[in-house]
Amino acid sequence: MPYILIQVTDEGVTKEQKAALIAGATDLVVNVLDKDPEATFVVIDEVNTDNWGHGGEVVTKRRQRAADRRKA
């Protein structure tokens, strides 16, 4: 029984994109591991950028700094 957890930031991932992730991840374990798709579970966890860190700081600040550089 594969359990696949996909974590993404909560920045506008659409229902269609989530459906594609679920279908694609399921297909991957079916094709690579020969698992039953009916016994495969995929969970998408959308994490707020204030709760996701990278390089010692929250992603919200990193993204804002990048946006400010693009505007300059």
Side-chain angles (χ1 to χ4, degrees), residues 25-67:
T26 301
D27 288 345
L28 182 64
V29 296
V30 168
N31 293 326
V32 173
L33 301 176
D34 197 30
K35 296 296 183 178
D36 178 0
E38 290 298 318
T40 301
F41 297 85
V42 180
V43 174
I44 298 174
D45 181 18
E46 293 182 84
V47 180
N48 185 280
T49 57
D50 286 342
N51 298 328
W52 194 301
H54 179 232
E57 64 183 335
V58 296
V59 170
T60 305
K61 287 184 180 181
R62 293 176 67 93
R63 300 260 170 91
Q64 185 59 53
R65 190 172 55 249

